[in-house]
Amino acid sequence: MTTAATPVIRRAEPADVDELIRLRAYLLENDDSDSAALPYTASTDEARTAWRTGYRAWLAKTLTHDADVCVAVAPGPGRLSACAIAVIDQRPPSPAYPSGRVAWMQSLVTDPRDRGQGLGTAVIDELFDWALTRGADVAVMQSASGAVDFHRRAGWLPTGEGLYHQPVTTRRKG
């Protein structure tokens, strides 16, 4: 009987920035009809340039200076195969999170060439271990429609709450 090797997972480093941008583009620049209308996808060249520039600057600062952010990666042959981000958010305490520390996990993406090998699960497991050391009570993850089954198989439970989006402008709508 052969078993798959346990994937090697590590924290992202500044040298990974270009690869992290390449992987996140699978989420933010997807042109399929289901995700093209989502508020966080880039539908123009200007929007693509803007998020890539902002993400590059955020990574440069975050990867070296932010103790409440972890970017976990699965290295592949000459590139990254998968990544995910966890951000510890300090919220008002509640019964679900008595310390108020919530690990918001996001941007889980696996290179299409590397899917089906357990890499997404492995990077999330790494983030759970990290969130535990940072004192988080609970982890929260928004799922893209195509990943709902993946998240449910991995033990994520739906909250039954809707997630809403409205740009912060000088004048709020409504």
Side-chain angles (χ1 to χ4, degrees), residues 56-124:
R56 180 178 298 281
W58 182 83
L59 286 167
K61 175 183 164 238
T62 302
L63 292 179
T64 57
H65 295 89
D66 198 328
D68 281 338
V69 176
C70 182
V71 182
V73 299
R79 60 185 165 77
L80 294 180
S81 293
C83 66
I85 300 168
V87 177
I88 301 293
D89 183 18
Q90 184 64 55
R91 297 182 181 200
S94 77
Y97 31 92
S99 75
R101 292 182 65 78
V102 176
W104 180 264
M105 296 187 184
Q106 58 194 36
S107 298
L108 170 61
V109 62
T110 301
D111 188 302
R113 297 170 285 186
D114 300 312
R115 292 183 180 157
Q117 299 177 36
L119 299 174
T121 299
V123 294
I124 292 298

